[in-house]
Amino acid sequence: MRFRLLRGSGVEFCFPAFGFRSLDMLGEKRAILLVAFGTSDKRASRAIANIFSLCRHAFPGWEIRLSYASQKVRETLKGEGESIDGPILAIARLAEEGFRRVVVQPLCVLPGSTFRFVACVCEEFARLLDISGKPLFSKLSLGKPLIASLADCGKMLGLIAAAYGEHVPDQTTALVLVAHGSAHVTGSLYATLHLLMQEHLGRNFFLGALEGLPSLESILQGLEALRIRKVVLAPFMLVAGSHLRRDVAGGGMDSWEARLRERGFEVSVICKGLGEYEPFARFFLWRVQEAMEVSS
């Protein structure tokens, strides 16, 4: 599958080959645990459901499970009659049910707080022994987030072009992707991705963060310098949930949409999370495959 970024740009992105292997592990019970921060928004949960469905089809012979890291989200869902395990209970349940080969794939954009929490949980379980003194799991692997390194920023360009290119027909329209942001040092990866987007996709491609950099103010300056009046806002987040409604496209005066309109821009909003786009969803599947191969 090939995605060309922009006409005349000369930059292409070749997606990793699909057709994932089942990796027969001597008849051991195998499972893939997808771990998201979580959402209680039914519409937003489509992004997670899409990745779950693709994972189930891509890895026959593997049990696919889902876990939410946020206790608050889990408690909200429990009050609505839906029960989803946290990562600790989900991994313990797999061990209790006799799964020996487990891949834990965090559905995180960056290696931020959620990813680090899941990594710590996996590290502790990897140390545990069963009653006979053997490791609880023959293999317990942790997949990488969407963007784990500077090199991964370059891999995002093709995915962004494939997912959002149709919304930016020419240089008179700007795409502004809005990430959650992170106080952690890895949050600087967003600034790197923003610069790469500007260099390879066009100066009318922007990435900002609700927390940290790049800030909305810097993006406003960039838009005004280009004299662009049409802006397409889209969340650069796994799901289009509460942050989209409150901080990106909310009716409040502090939302990005409201502040852009206040400065005279014509704004439209894409209400889809990254997990709803097949290129991003399949990149997470590639992360799962990568974790299998590294630890095999």
Side-chain angles (χ1 to χ4, degrees):
M1 186 178 295
R2 249 176 133 69
F3 299 125
R4 186 173 294 277
L5 300 187
L6 287 178
R7 277 187 239 172
S9 71
V11 182
E12 292 184 346
F13 176 79
C14 299
F15 208 90
F18 301 144
F20 301 107
R21 296 194 301 277
S22 183
L23 296 180
D24 186 7
M25 299 294 291
L26 302 176
E28 291 182 324
K29 292 180 69 174
R30 300 163 298 176
I32 297 167
L33 177 64
L34 303 176
V35 184
F37 176 84
T39 179
S40 57
D41 186 314
K42 301 302 180 187
R43 167 62 183 81
S45 66
R46 294 179 189 176
I48 298 171
N50 184 45
I51 298 174
F52 187 92
S53 177
L54 289 172
C55 197
R56 177 170 281 174
H57 285 90
F59 299 102
W62 290 74
E63 174 80 6
I64 312 299
R65 301 273 178 96
L66 176 64
S67 171
Y68 280 179
S70 171
Q71 183 176 355
K72 182 178 179 180
V73 171
R74 297 198 307 269
E75 289 176 349
T76 298
L77 291 173
K78 187 176 181 179
E80 298 172 356
E82 184 177 355
S83 179
I84 297 181
D85 290 340
I88 297 173
L89 181 55
I91 297 175
R93 197 184 298 276
L94 288 171
E96 185 68 18
E97 294 177 18
F99 287 91
R100 297 277 295 149
R101 175 69 171 98
V102 174
V103 174
V104 178
Q105 178 58 54
L107 301 182
C108 302
V109 178
L110 291 185
S113 57
T114 299
F115 179 84
R116 295 195 303 276
F117 165 65
V118 177
C120 288
V121 171
C122 289
E123 185 177 354
E124 291 304 316
F125 270 100
R127 295 193 182 113
L128 295 180
L129 305 177
D130 63 19
I131 197 169
S132 64
K134 296 179 181 179
L136 205 56
F137 299 101
S138 61
K139 290 287 184 180
L140 179 61
S141 311
L142 178 67
K144 296 178 182 178
L146 188 70
I147 305 174
S149 66
L150 291 173
D152 290 333
C153 290
K155 297 174 185 176
M156 294 298 106
L157 297 178
L159 309 188
I160 291 169
Y164 303 106
E166 64 180 298
H167 299 287
V168 191
D170 51 47
Q171 296 294 318
T172 66
T173 302
L175 173 70
V176 177
L177 299 178
V178 186
H180 182 279
S182 174
H184 191 262
V185 65
T186 56
S188 62
L189 291 170
Y190 284 137
T192 299
L193 179 54
H194 168 75
L195 292 174
L196 288 175
M197 288 167 59
Q198 294 257 300
E199 180 180 355
H200 296 290
L201 300 182
R203 293 186 63 201
N204 55 328
F205 281 74
F206 296 82
L207 173 67
L210 296 175
E211 300 176 15
L213 299 173
S215 66
L216 173 57
E217 193 57 42
S218 67
I219 289 174
L220 285 168
Q221 292 173 6
L223 291 170
E224 290 172 345
L226 294 175
R227 298 184 178 180
I228 289 176
R229 305 319 300 170
K230 294 182 180 179
V231 176
V232 178
L233 275 177
F236 195 72
M237 309 170 189
L238 179 70
V239 302
S242 60
H243 277 300
L244 173 70
R245 295 192 307 272
R246 182 180 65 245
D247 302 314
V248 180
M253 294 179 61
D254 290 333
S255 75
W256 284 41
E257 180 184 8
R259 292 179 64 184
L260 283 163
R261 290 188 186 279
E262 185 181 12
R263 297 283 276 265
F265 293 97
E266 179 184 328
V267 184
S268 59
V269 182
I270 301 174
C271 300
K272 291 176 66 175
L274 296 178
E276 295 182 70
Y277 293 98
E278 185 164 337
F280 287 103
R282 288 193 174 274
F283 197 89
F284 276 114
L285 268 61
W286 180 57
R287 289 300 198 199
V288 172
Q289 180 73 54
E290 185 182 49
M292 290 178 179
E293 293 176 346
V294 166
S295 300
S296 297

